[in-house]
Amino acid sequence: MSLTSLIGKACETVIRDAVLDHLDRHQLIVDSQYGFRKGGSCLGNLLQFFDAVTSGLDKNECIDVVYLDFAKAFDKVPHERLLDKVNKHGIGGRVWLWIKEWLSGRKTESLYKRSLF
């Protein structure tokens, strides 16, 4: 269940689509980025990875794999750094201010503050 209003969700969708269109139009997202992209899926990402690994094995190359858990990754992104990156990608003006306002009052969970045990 979500506590976000329908108007808020609709507004977020419009902003998200405009930002993604801007990033695609200016080729600011690499082809290997699958999340939040039209036509992108976990399966597509997995198939690209599988192809790279099998191709390397066919060439007798060494393959190292590192698994990372990005659970709640967005919650750990420093908002000022995120806003700076959004601005550097050419997203400014009212859209940037809207994103800044949307982030205000939200807390990030620091990796350094959490105990690993």
Side-chain angles (χ1 to χ4, degrees):
M1 177 183 284
S2 176
L3 299 177
T4 306
S5 71
L6 291 176
I7 294 172
K9 286 182 182 181
C11 187
E12 288 175 8
T13 299
V14 169
I15 297 293
R16 182 201 66 215
D17 291 348
V19 167
L20 287 175
D21 180 60
H22 170 82
L23 296 173
D24 282 337
R25 192 171 349 108
H26 296 284
Q27 300 176 343
L28 296 170
I29 300 179
V30 295
D31 291 337
S32 61
Q33 170 66 42
Y34 282 84
F36 305 105
R37 296 187 73 191
K38 292 178 184 172
S41 69
C42 291
L43 179 59
N45 183 287
L46 182 60
L47 289 172
Q48 183 181 18
F49 170 77
F50 184 72
D51 184 53
V53 169
T54 55
S55 176
L57 291 173
D58 287 344
K59 297 174 188 173
N60 286 329
E61 296 175 349
C62 292
I63 305 294
D64 294 324
V65 178
V66 176
Y67 293 95
L68 302 171
D69 181 4
F70 289 112
K72 295 188 176 185
F74 182 76
D75 296 337
K76 294 171 178 57
V77 174
H79 293 161
E80 292 303 319
R81 187 179 302 167
L82 176 63
L83 289 167
D84 184 51
K85 186 154 190 148
V86 166
N87 190 28
K88 287 180 179 175
H89 277 80
I91 300 167
R94 290 183 179 179
V95 173
W96 185 88
L97 289 172
W98 186 87
I99 294 170
K100 180 179 179 185
E101 187 63 30
W102 184 76
L103 291 171
S104 71
R106 296 175 186 253
K107 295 181 180 178
T108 58
E109 182 181 340
S110 172
L111 289 172
Y112 303 108
K113 292 181 183 176
R114 276 190 16 191
S115 170
L116 297 176
F117 302 103

